Amino acid sequence: MTAITLALAAIALVPAPQKMSVTDGAFTTNLTVTCARDEKIPAEGYRLKVEADGVKVWSSDDAGRFYAGETLKQLTEKGKCPLVEIEDAPRYKWRGVHFDDCRHFFGKETLKKTINVMSQYKFNVLHWHLTDDQGWRLDVPGYPDLVKYGAVRRASPKHGARMMRNPDGTSSMALDGQAYGPFFYTEADIREVVAYAAERHVRIVPEIELPGHVFAALAAYPEFACNPENLAARSPRLIWGVEQDVLCVGNDRAIRFMEDVLDYVCRVFPSEVIHIGGDECPRKRWESCPKCQKRIRDERLGDTKNLQAWATRHFVEFLFARGKRTIGWDEYLLGEGIPATAMGMSWRLGETASTGHGWLSPAELAAKGHDVVMTPMSACYLDYRQELEDDPFEYIGGVVTLAQCHAADFCAGVPQELRKHILGGQGNNWSEYTWNQYDLEWKMWPRACALAEALWCGERKPAFADFVRRMKVHRKRLTAQGVNCAPVE
């Protein structure tokens, strides 16, 4: 077996396999596949051998067999396939894509198409962002107002509008004056998407934000806010950004409401991991809220920082009792006593300006025993500009190029003995400035393909120039599937 860099130049596999040998110039049209079990092969890995008389696949699990099939599809052109032998397995077990349905709603058909393309490039997690200040997308039994009020905005920012800072410290944007919604998913929709993903070995990890980014939920149930009068309009936040009104964690009824939501989420999502957000939570309302201040005194927390840590501990333990682990954005793990079973999603590498909160590095999180999924803004934010010439689409800001995605090193700065806690990473598709499927696909592909290679190959990935060569072939394939894939160069 020879390294992929020595393989036949005409073969274009993304992500690149671990090992590959090719019989130069030899092909077969006999694509009959025979599968066998080999427990020595790592999870999700496979061995693929294409010979003149057919195809043989070995794997230790169904996922490995599925990925062997995806590799075979990439190898096959016009009904014939080169004679090749491949040994392959992923470097990381969390290879994810984030999907934000809150700012703009895409619907289950776009979700399915995204999952289908993800599976072709061996992604195995879709992180589904279902609740935020600007929209609540989950129909929860017993709480009908969540979709009556939380799933529709009275207006949204105009296309091309940018955030303005007002003299009083508030923010504003030009609005379109048009109702947006109601847009939400029923239980039947969720089960359909989850089943579709499972067939392609993609796990759905739902995100229910708390205790911040809950303005849409509070629009439905203002009594769960510290200052219900601020929710008199009964509408989610109309502009992008972060709301000051958050969950009143001193209110036992508000806590029970979130427990009921999470109980429903546990019932309809089979994933063993539930995302509870925890990021960008302003604490201003808690400072003057009698209920929150009483919680601080009763629990001997000292301040509002520890009040958020109390809320995190509560829901980590609540979900663990139901057989689920939590994951959240890095700042939700600040504070004492948070169980090591809680997983962190590292999106900042030292940047605190966007939240005003402290920060724990991936190494610090790992040292505390937390498993970590890497999603740094510097390489994984696909709503950042691509630096393409004549790009017609709108971006939130920042720059993440194709080369930056491919260069992502998910263990950078983490000591060798702690790297077992780095589960992998994901690309994030925040949708403030992503308006529809056509826009979304342009921003995802091919950059998500570069992340797929970085996650599958890890430290052994080929040079970027070789990825570009192979990705040019794949762009043609994606556009033939109706995917609005951006140029590779």
Side-chain angles (χ1 to χ4, degrees):
M1 299 289 286
T2 57
I4 179 65
T5 51
L6 301 179
L8 187 68
I11 290 181
L13 295 176
V14 176
Q18 193 174 78
K19 294 180 180 179
M20 179 169 67
S21 63
V22 180
T23 303
D24 200 0
F27 294 85
T28 184
T29 57
N30 185 348
L31 300 179
T32 303
V33 179
T34 303
C35 297
R37 210 81 164 176
D38 184 345
E39 299 299 333
K40 296 179 182 178
I41 294 175
E44 299 185 283
Y46 62 91
R47 181 181 169 205
L48 172 68
K49 191 170 186 179
V50 181
E51 299 178 302
D53 59 351
V55 180
K56 296 177 182 177
V57 171
W58 295 265
S59 66
S60 61
D61 56 22
D62 291 342
R65 184 175 61 195
F66 176 82
Y67 293 135
E70 292 304 308
T71 297
L72 183 62
K73 290 177 186 176
Q74 291 190 20
L75 288 167
T76 304
E77 186 78 24
K78 295 181 180 179
K80 68 177 185 177
C81 182
L83 303 191
V84 60
E85 186 171 358
I86 291 173
E87 289 183 10
D88 205 7
R91 166 63 178 85
Y92 294 104
K93 61 183 179 181
W94 186 297
R95 306 180 303 280
V97 166
H98 162 278
F99 194 100
D100 177 12
D101 253 322
C102 299
R103 283 50 180 259
H104 288 102
F105 183 82
F106 299 95
K108 65 182 180 182
E109 294 309 316
T110 298
L111 269 165
K112 287 181 178 180
K113 186 177 180 184
T114 301
I115 291 165
N116 192 51
V117 181
M118 285 172 58
S119 68
Q120 294 176 36
Y121 295 103
K122 302 181 174 68
F123 284 107
N124 66 352
V125 177
L126 186 135
H127 166 189
W128 196 359
H129 190 75
L130 285 161
T131 70
D132 214 303
D133 290 323
Q134 292 82 9
W136 182 281
R137 306 301 179 203
L138 198 63
D139 187 14
V140 179
Y143 293 95
D145 284 354
L146 281 173
V147 294
K148 180 179 179 180
Y149 295 102
V152 56
R153 290 194 296 268
R154 292 183 291 107
S156 301
K158 288 183 178 179
H159 195 285
R162 307 304 291 187
M163 189 81 72
M164 303 291 291
R165 298 295 180 187
N166 301 320
D168 64 357
T170 61
S171 300
S172 61
M173 298 180 76
L175 299 176
D176 60 12
Q178 300 177 12
Y180 188 78
F183 297 127
F184 61 91
Y185 294 97
T186 66
E187 181 172 334
D189 293 330
I190 292 167
R191 292 191 182 279
E192 182 180 339
V193 171
V194 167
Y196 187 89
E199 290 173 359
R200 290 154 181 80
H201 292 274
V202 173
R203 171 178 40 145
I204 304 288
V205 173
E207 180 176 4
I208 306 299
E209 282 269 13
L210 65 91
H213 285 291
V214 295
F215 199 77
L218 299 180
Y221 296 96
E223 63 269 30
F224 300 147
C226 295
N227 303 96
E229 64 276 11
N230 294 347
L231 285 298
R234 303 296 294 276
S235 172
R237 182 177 170 92
L238 305 184
I239 65 173
W240 315 141
V242 178
E243 274 289 347
Q244 293 294 317
D245 287 284
V246 300
L247 191 72
C248 179
V249 296
N251 183 340
D252 288 340
R253 290 185 60 220
I255 297 297
R256 180 60 191 164
F257 158 69
M258 276 298 178
E259 290 176 346
D260 289 345
V261 169
L262 291 172
D263 265 332
Y264 174 70
V265 168
C266 290
R267 180 162 65 85
V268 297
F269 288 96
S271 171
E272 71 275 17
V273 178
I274 305 294
H275 202 300
I276 61 170
D279 63 312
E280 299 177 322
C281 181
R283 300 168 185 149
K284 183 177 181 181
R285 300 290 188 254
W286 295 344
E287 292 171 0
S288 57
C289 173
K291 292 179 181 177
C292 290
Q293 289 300 311
K294 183 176 186 301
R295 181 84 75 192
I296 289 172
R297 291 193 301 272
D298 290 350
E299 300 290 340
R300 299 180 181 179
L301 301 174
D303 57 25
T304 56
K305 175 183 175 182
N306 288 324
L307 183 60
Q308 181 166 356
W310 175 88
T312 299
R313 287 195 301 272
H314 177 87
F315 288 105
V316 168
E317 292 167 357
F318 175 85
L319 285 166
F320 190 75
R322 285 151 181 79
K324 306 287 188 178
R325 293 182 67 186
T326 59
I327 191 168
W329 306 103
D330 61 58
E331 60 263 49
Y332 101 120
L333 293 175
L334 291 166
E336 298 301 319
I338 297 173
T341 57
M343 302 157 63
M345 191 163 274
S346 185
W347 65 285
R348 303 174 297 168
L349 296 180
E351 305 93 339
T352 59
S354 62
T355 66
H357 288 187
W359 168 76
L360 288 170
S361 71
E364 289 171 319
L365 290 170
K368 293 177 72 173
H370 299 294
D371 289 337
V372 183
V373 174
M374 296 299 300
T375 178
M377 293 184 287
S378 57
C380 296
Y381 271 46
L382 304 182
D383 57 335
Y384 283 16
R385 298 192 313 275
Q386 306 188 59
E387 296 292 80
L388 296 173
E389 187 176 354
D390 299 324
D391 191 332
F393 292 98
E394 194 176 11
Y395 295 84
I396 196 168
V399 174
V400 171
T401 65
L402 185 65
Q404 285 171 261
C405 291
H406 193 264
D409 179 356
F410 300 101
C411 283
V414 179
Q416 190 67 41
E417 67 273 14
L418 296 176
R419 292 186 175 188
K420 63 184 179 182
H421 287 293
I422 307 300
L423 303 183
Q426 69 179 34
N428 286 348
N429 295 291
W430 298 105
S431 69
E432 287 93 336
Y433 296 93
T434 301
W435 300 77
N436 51 45
Q437 177 182 309
Y438 194 71
D439 190 345
L440 175 70
E441 290 175 351
W442 179 271
K443 290 170 181 172
M444 279 189 69
W445 314 107
R447 288 187 294 178
C449 291
L451 288 174
E453 181 149 298
L455 286 163
W456 185 268
C457 299
E459 300 80 1
R460 60 175 173 77
K461 64 176 176 273
F464 178 64
D466 187 68
F467 168 77
V468 168
R469 173 190 66 79
R470 289 175 282 119
M471 195 62 230
K472 287 178 179 178
V473 175
H474 281 264
R475 183 176 187 253
K476 293 179 181 178
R477 294 175 179 173
L478 287 170
T479 55
Q481 294 176 39
V483 176
N484 186 34
C485 182
V488 177
E489 290 183 315

